[in-house]
Amino acid sequence: MFIRKYWLPLSVFLVTIAGVGLYLLATQPPKEPIKVYKLVEPIEKPTTQAPVGDTSQGGHVHADGTWHEGPHEPVEQPSTADGNPPQLHVEPPSVIAQGNPTSDTMQDPSAESSRREWRKWHDEWSRLAKEHVQTTQEWIDALPQTPEELERFNTDESYKREVQRQLQAAMDKDAKAYVRLQEHKKTRPAIPPTR
């Protein structure tokens, strides 16, 4: 009798519960996969037993521990027409630092301008962020700091009004600093390319 009388509300209730359950299942993000890290012992490099420079086995060992069969091939030195070895010409550091004017190491004027604009914006951001931190500290400092000040705040109405006035002034100043910081954030230029 009960089910015949209330079949429609019970059906709606059950369908609602099923719908909410399906919605919650669909909106949950998938779980992170479990990562299993397997410890691996490093492979030891084989070491040579022969001392550096030992040639008893038909070769020699280099200072870094590598074995080399046989002697190195001799390197022929080029000579000039008069039979003397050529002189090595080394550019002075100032010439090397200047670079080739046609190379891509030259500074792009627009990139330099972009870096200046970014630096200017970042300096202003730093100044506004410091100001916001200072104003936040001001309203924190306006609160009663010691148990005695808290007791006085709870019992002395004139002291309570004065603390509330200072707190409100500091919070207004902090809110203005925060607004300036957020407005400046909206003017952020594109990050310049690196050199």
Side-chain angles (χ1 to χ4, degrees):
M1 185 71 168
F2 177 79
I3 294 178
R4 285 186 187 169
K5 188 174 182 181
Y6 297 108
W7 72 271
L8 184 62
L10 285 174
S11 301
V12 170
F13 179 70
L14 291 174
V15 169
T16 304
I17 289 177
V20 169
L22 289 174
Y23 174 76
L24 290 176
L25 283 175
T27 58
Q28 288 180 350
K31 292 183 179 180
E32 289 276 330
I34 297 173
K35 295 180 182 177
V36 178
Y37 295 100
K38 184 177 178 183
L39 295 178
V40 179
E41 294 195 20
I43 300 173
E44 293 184 23
K45 289 185 177 180
T47 59
T48 57
Q49 299 298 325
V52 174
D54 183 19
T55 60
S56 64
Q57 298 175 3
H60 61 275
V61 179
H62 289 262
D64 63 357
T66 58
W67 174 258
H68 185 264
E69 286 285 331
H72 289 279
E73 293 187 20
V75 178
E76 292 186 27
Q77 295 290 334
S79 61
T80 58
D82 60 358
N84 294 330
Q87 297 295 319
L88 180 63
H89 176 70
V90 178
E91 290 287 331
S94 61
V95 174
I96 295 171
Q98 289 174 357
N100 185 356
T102 60
S103 71
D104 59 349
T105 59
M106 294 296 291
Q107 294 293 330
D108 181 16
S110 63
E112 190 61 35
S113 170
S114 177
R115 280 193 276 285
R116 276 195 303 271
E117 181 183 349
W118 172 259
R119 174 54 51 199
K120 182 180 174 185
W121 181 88
H122 189 269
D123 291 344
E124 181 66 12
W125 170 264
S126 297
R127 186 189 68 75
L128 289 172
K130 286 178 186 174
E131 179 184 341
H132 176 56
V133 168
Q134 289 170 348
T135 56
T136 301
Q137 188 61 45
E138 285 177 18
W139 73 260
I140 291 172
D141 292 341
L143 294 170
Q145 303 293 318
T146 63
E148 293 81 21
E149 288 178 352
L150 183 59
E151 181 64 32
R152 183 175 174 201
F153 179 81
N154 290 331
T155 57
D156 186 359
E157 286 299 317
S158 64
Y159 178 71
K160 185 176 189 175
R161 282 192 299 276
E162 178 61 25
V163 168
Q164 288 174 338
R165 184 192 64 75
Q166 290 175 352
L167 182 61
Q168 188 61 46
M171 290 178 82
D172 290 343
K173 190 175 175 183
D174 183 49
K176 290 176 184 175
Y178 179 75
V179 167
R180 282 194 300 274
L181 185 65
Q182 293 305 312
E183 287 174 354
H184 184 68
K185 185 177 180 181
K186 292 176 185 175
T187 65
R188 178 181 167 192
I191 297 176
T194 57
R195 295 179 190 209

